Amino acid sequence: MLTIKNLHATIEGKEILKGIDLEIKAGEVHAIMGPNGSGKSTLANIVAGNEAYEVTKGEIIFEGKELLEMNPEDRAREGVFLAFQYPVEIPGVSNATFLKTAINEIKKYHNQAELTPKEFLSLMKEKSKILGMEEALISRSVNVGFSGGEKKRNEILQMLMLNPKLALLDETDSGLDIDALKIVSNGVNLFKAKDNAVLVVTHYQRLLNYIQPDFVHVLYNGRIIKSGGKELALELEDKGYDWIKPELVESETVYRS
Amino acid sequence: MNRIPEFQNTKEWYLSSFRKFEEKLNGESKSFLHDLRKEALAQLAEVDFPTTRDEEWKYTSVSPILKQNFIPAFNIDKQNVTKEGIKKYFFSGFDFYTMTFINGIYSEELSDLQNLQKGVTVNSLSKLLRSNPKVISEQITKFVKTENAFNLLNRVYSTDGAVVIVPDGVIVEKPIQILFLNGHNDKLVLSIPHNLIVAGKNSQVSIITNYSALNSSVYFSNIITEVFAGESSIVDLYKIQNENDNSFHYEKVEAHQLKKSIFNHYNFTFGGEIVRNDINSTLDDENIETHYYGLYLGKGNQHIDNHTFVDHAKPNCMSNELYKGILDNKARGVFNGKIIVRKDAQKTNAYQQNKTVLLSKTAKINTKPQLEIFADDVKCTHGATVGHLDDTAYYYIRTRGIPAELAKSMLIRAFANDVVESVKIEPLRDQLNHMIFEHLHRVEIEND
């Protein structure tokens, strides 16, 4: 579904990603872990099309298409979704207006019939229920007056509504208490299917107790320095990141000589 | 003193036209108003039109207005306007009383004041001068302070305007929507209404002034609006200015507030080539509240200047001002927010905010807070920001599949939202949101 090859990227001239290779297949859940500033969020944002970053080398192929040549809205229409680490507030635009516009723009792109108001409303009700969100929220402005946890839930609600092929979850667990974490994870688990994929970006192993990854990658200083199964996440929880770093130093030394 | 010749000529034109105007006045020339008019004429002879050398007009050149010799509407033929034809101009979806002015002159047949509550006066200035001059003479120009040449020009030639007088204890049930339709087929018309709003003790009234154009002709709207908010009264005054883009628009609002009164002024600017609003409030007693909300939308070569002045003369009052602007193309904005807290005005709370978003590299704003505080126990804050639409929010919206242009529209709505939401009449809010997109030629958000 997604193939990232030798991806290099900079922001304001500073190199953040220094050669990322990653392959995600339909039906898989991948987790990217790593310390702060390692480039995890950058990677998710480049896939979603954030224009603040400059890709200096490499390519991203999504469902056979060159993603880097598309604007963010087309990537979304092709099936990429990013749940933001810091969701944005949009006063004066209701959740209903926002989501209905988004869904219908995606439908238009695929030459599909737009949702009727009735269809939209029943879909919204069904999905809100999964996330334990009140119906009143539908008419409230996007993320305005929401707590940190509510904003994260709203991101997952948007994901369920838009039903993407690839969901990128950027630190969705941060700022969530245990109950909210369970609700959000449940939403993601209901979403998971054979024909879609999830990439979880997280600092902590905690979320991965609820969303079981098939693959775990450790990102450090702009490179994936270790990949493994879900047991890698547990190992990181136990030992931290330090035990891997020497390997990196070693490999760099070897590389240089 | 060096004077720009055209200014002199324009003034001479207005001074010399007076005789012809006076002849047409007939009986009205014997009224008290006519004495005021002659006083104003004498003053106008002494005062020059402002130039950019005047501090108050530093960023606004009025020379394009003075290049034309406008003719007072009273002296030219009336435009043919029908009741059916003006329907589209009204804000709708709620109940309201209607007054209509064509080029500043009242049209009874285009107005609807049926079922007006007993005791409430809603009438034209010219009619009241004939039927009940006392109510006018007691109030009009009572608190006039310094007047510039434009104000004097209004007072020299104005024959009409909207008058609303609410007796003590009366709550006017429906808003009064006053439509000012301007423009003339073949003449440069000067539309100069002089409006008067008087709210008695414990009364409440909501007024929507709606300035629109009949056609795309060049004209000059030069308005004076006086507001007297009596003790414990609540006055909501909405101004929605949607003149055509060739016109010039200037209004001076002079509000005088008494104890415990609340005055809310809502100022939405859409149209006009050169627009200037002077909005002044004097808080001349204790426990008064004044709220100013403003939204200005400029495109093309529009020039929009808002000068506000809140005069805190007595203790324990509160004023709050929120002005926001969205400027595109080569539009230019000016905001000057003056607040004086006089020595006696202890425990004053005064807040002021001006925020502008520039949609193009060539749009421009000059913004200046002007606080003069002579009391020592006060809370005053002010802030001014100039920026662009938020990049992160723009990206966020697009990651949901929403096209770039529509994403911008959503961000414009988000930016304008707190000013639009301050409007108490809900259907009016929706129509204002619609006008924002229409005016800026942006893609409309489809609501449910």
Side-chain angles (χ1 to χ4, degrees):
Chain A
M1 178 176 285
L2 182 79
T3 308
I4 298 175
K5 283 184 200 158
N6 193 28
L7 186 70
H8 290 249
T10 61
I11 185 163
E12 287 160 2
K14 194 175 168 253
E15 195 170 32
I16 310 279
L17 299 183
K18 301 169 180 171
I20 301 279
D21 292 286
L22 185 66
E23 173 88 38
I24 299 176
K25 294 196 178 77
E28 292 177 350
V29 175
H30 288 242
I32 297 219
M33 300 185 72
N36 284 332
S38 57
K40 307 185 298 285
S41 277
T42 301
L43 179 61
N45 272 284
I46 286 172
V47 175
N50 191 334
E51 286 154 357
Y53 300 97
E54 194 190 340
V55 174
T56 49
K57 215 194 252 179
E59 58 179 359
I60 305 176
I61 308 295
F62 177 69
E63 298 278 82
K65 288 179 182 166
E66 184 57 78
L67 214 53
L68 291 175
E69 279 161 20
M70 287 182 212
N71 58 35
E73 52 269 39
D74 278 344
R75 295 184 200 200
R77 294 160 187 168
E78 289 288 345
V80 175
F81 179 88
L82 172 64
F84 275 53
Q85 185 178 1
Y86 303 108
V88 171
E89 297 182 8
I90 317 171
V93 178
S94 72
N95 280 301
T97 299
F98 187 64
L99 276 172
K100 208 167 90 185
T101 307
I103 289 172
N104 285 337
E105 287 293 339
I106 293 168
K107 296 242 178 228
K108 256 196 257 174
Y109 183 78
H110 295 286
N111 292 319
Q112 292 166 352
E114 296 186 8
L115 286 187
T116 65
K118 209 176 150 196
E119 286 169 332
F120 172 78
L121 214 64
S122 71
L123 187 68
M124 186 96 175
K125 275 183 191 163
E126 178 202 328
K127 304 299 182 190
S128 313
K129 214 169 167 188
I130 293 171
L131 293 159
M133 294 171 92
E134 287 169 34
E135 262 182 54
L137 163 136
I138 294 173
S139 57
R140 278 172 59 189
S141 292
V142 178
N143 291 326
V144 177
F146 286 28
S147 70
E150 282 171 331
K151 284 181 184 171
K152 294 299 177 73
R153 273 199 243 182
N154 200 26
E155 291 295 285
I156 300 306
L157 172 67
Q158 291 181 15
M159 179 191 79
L160 293 178
M161 293 292 287
L162 300 183
N163 195 25
K165 288 180 188 156
L166 173 67
L168 311 159
L169 311 182
D170 187 6
E171 307 264 2
T172 297
D173 50 333
S174 69
L176 290 185
D177 62 31
I178 193 72
D179 292 328
L181 187 70
K182 282 181 187 167
I183 292 168
V184 162
S185 306
N186 179 48
V188 176
N189 288 327
L190 284 171
F191 164 75
K192 252 175 22 181
K194 263 187 269 171
D195 57 352
N196 64 29
V198 178
L199 176 69
V200 182
V201 169
T202 181
H203 189 72
Y204 303 102
Q205 191 268 337
R206 197 173 69 136
L207 178 68
L208 305 180
N209 288 335
Y210 301 99
I211 304 171
Q212 297 256 324
D214 302 302
F215 300 94
V216 175
H217 312 276
V218 178
L219 192 64
Y220 181 76
N221 198 15
R223 290 190 184 91
I224 291 175
I225 55 169
K226 199 170 180 68
S227 295
K230 65 181 174 221
E231 66 289 346
L232 180 57
L234 293 168
E235 221 172 335
L236 288 166
E237 178 82 348
D238 273 355
K239 304 187 201 164
Y241 292 106
D242 286 342
W243 63 280
I244 323 176
K245 286 178 199 169
E247 285 179 31
L248 172 77
V249 174
E250 223 168 76
S251 65
E252 274 188 344
T253 316
V254 172
Y255 185 76
R256 278 194 200 115
S257 58
Chain B
M1 195 175 155
N2 285 326
R3 280 171 177 156
I4 301 164
E6 77 200 37
F7 285 22
Q8 270 304 23
N9 292 340
T10 310
K11 207 173 87 176
E12 273 160 25
W13 155 261
Y14 288 125
L15 293 172
S16 63
S17 304
F18 188 70
R19 189 170 295 258
K20 191 180 157 208
F21 168 78
E22 207 176 17
E23 280 164 12
K24 226 192 142 194
L25 280 175
N26 295 327
E28 208 261 296
S29 64
K30 295 194 179 63
S31 75
F32 78 95
L33 194 70
H34 198 64
D35 296 334
L36 291 176
R37 183 173 281 148
K38 279 194 275 192
E39 263 174 47
L41 183 74
Q43 284 178 56
L44 181 61
E46 300 301 316
V47 176
D48 287 325
F49 281 101
T51 72
T52 51
R53 281 164 301 180
D54 295 309
E55 192 57 32
E56 291 290 300
W57 295 82
K58 197 173 170 184
Y59 300 109
T60 299
S61 166
V62 297
S63 80
I65 307 176
L66 302 176
K67 279 190 181 122
Q68 326 268 3
N69 293 335
F70 292 99
I71 309 163
F74 184 74
N75 278 22
I76 54 176
D77 56 307
K78 281 189 180 164
Q79 294 290 283
N80 190 18
V81 182
T82 62
K83 205 156 189 165
E84 197 54 38
I86 60 166
K87 267 190 185 160
K88 61 176 180 183
Y89 292 102
F90 286 104
F91 295 99
S92 57
F94 55 98
D95 287 338
F96 52 87
Y97 302 111
T98 311
M99 292 185 96
T100 299
F101 289 79
I102 308 296
N103 291 320
I105 293 174
Y106 185 59
S107 166
E108 195 166 350
E109 57 278 17
L110 300 177
S111 302
D112 186 358
L113 297 166
Q114 270 183 51
N115 305 320
L116 193 68
Q117 283 153 273
K118 221 180 153 206
V120 179
T121 301
V122 179
N123 212 330
S124 79
L125 181 69
S126 60
K127 278 181 74 186
L128 280 170
L129 281 172
R130 272 174 267 141
S131 64
N132 195 358
K134 200 168 157 265
V135 296
I136 303 296
S137 66
E138 278 172 359
Q139 296 290 350
I140 208 157
T141 65
K142 196 166 156 190
F143 294 101
V144 161
K145 295 175 193 164
T146 52
E147 291 190 302
N148 63 40
F150 290 117
N151 309 143
L152 292 167
L153 179 63
N154 173 292
R155 292 222 286 117
V156 170
Y157 286 110
S158 182
T159 54
D160 216 342
V163 179
V164 176
I165 301 170
V166 186
D168 292 353
V170 173
I171 294 168
V172 182
E173 282 158 1
K174 295 190 256 180
I176 302 159
Q177 184 168 178
I178 310 173
L179 175 64
F180 293 94
L181 264 180
N182 297 313
H184 196 280
N185 287 342
D186 53 6
K187 295 197 181 67
L188 295 166
V189 67
L190 181 63
S191 173
I192 32 179
H194 189 151
N195 306 315
L196 183 62
I197 298 158
V198 182
K201 192 175 170 180
N202 292 314
S203 72
Q204 204 172 320
V205 65
S206 176
I207 295 166
I208 302 161
T209 56
N210 171 353
Y211 296 91
S212 287
L214 267 175
N215 50 38
S216 58
S217 63
V218 177
Y219 59 84
F220 181 23
S221 279
N222 177 14
I223 308 136
I224 293 178
T225 300
E226 295 183 75
V227 180
F228 302 92
E231 190 180 324
S232 302
S233 66
I234 302 175
V235 178
D236 293 339
L237 179 58
Y238 297 91
K239 172 181 186 178
I240 299 151
Q241 190 270 92
N242 195 25
E243 311 259 27
N244 74 36
D245 289 345
N246 303 315
S247 67
F248 305 111
H249 180 99
Y250 173 48
E251 184 185 25
K252 183 176 83 160
V253 175
E254 191 75 60
H256 197 91
Q257 291 184 252
L258 294 186
K259 196 163 37 175
K260 294 184 188 164
S261 63
I262 301 174
F263 175 50
N264 297 310
H265 190 262
Y266 308 82
N267 178 12
F268 290 85
T269 298
F270 294 98
E273 182 181 330
I274 297 174
V275 177
R276 164 79 171 220
N277 288 298
D278 283 340
I279 298 149
N280 309 326
S281 287
T282 306
L283 285 61
D284 202 14
D285 210 328
E286 298 199 36
N287 301 305
I288 289 169
E289 269 186 48
T290 304
H291 298 264
Y292 286 170
Y293 304 97
L295 184 69
Y296 45 97
L297 300 151
K299 62 162 196 253
N301 286 307
Q302 278 186 289
H303 182 106
I304 303 164
D305 179 346
N306 286 305
H307 267 63
T308 64
F309 176 21
V310 180
D311 188 347
H312 282 273
K314 297 279 162 67
N316 298 311
C317 294
M318 191 274 241
S319 68
N320 188 13
E321 179 169 7
L322 175 65
Y323 260 71
K324 284 189 160 185
I326 301 164
L327 302 174
D328 203 355
N329 313 122
K330 286 178 163 178
R332 170 94 178 256
V334 180
F335 175 81
N336 191 97
K338 186 172 172 181
I339 299 172
I340 290 189
V341 182
R342 296 189 190 271
K343 211 174 144 209
D344 291 341
Q346 299 294 1
K347 307 274 181 198
T348 289
N349 286 318
Y351 308 102
Q352 182 190 94
Q353 254 197 325
N354 174 229
K355 292 183 176 179
T356 306
V357 159
L358 304 176
L359 297 180
S360 73
K361 286 198 175 88
T362 44
K364 201 170 155 182
I365 173 89
N366 294 95
T367 174
K368 183 177 146 199
Q370 195 184 343
L371 273 59
E372 294 170 24
I373 301 167
F374 301 99
D376 49 25
D377 185 14
V378 300
K379 258 188 229 159
C380 292
T381 64
H382 67 87
T385 61
V386 181
H388 301 275
L389 293 177
D390 183 58
D391 285 337
T392 309
Y394 181 53
Y395 163 58
Y396 179 76
I397 297 170
R398 291 165 73 203
T399 62
R400 270 50 178 158
I402 295 170
E405 278 309 302
L406 193 52
K408 275 187 193 163
S409 295
M410 286 184 175
L411 292 175
I412 288 169
R413 173 171 296 183
F415 176 75
N417 187 60
D418 47 358
V419 179
V420 175
E421 284 295 305
S422 72
V423 168
K424 291 179 191 166
I425 304 160
E426 205 184 325
L428 188 56
R429 289 205 286 263
D430 299 339
Q431 285 160 83
L432 286 166
N433 268 328
H434 173 75
M435 283 171 78
I436 292 169
F437 297 110
E438 202 173 60
H439 186 72
L440 295 172
H441 296 299
R442 296 283 162 182
V443 184
E444 180 97 61
I445 301 163
E446 279 179 38
N447 278 315
D448 305 291

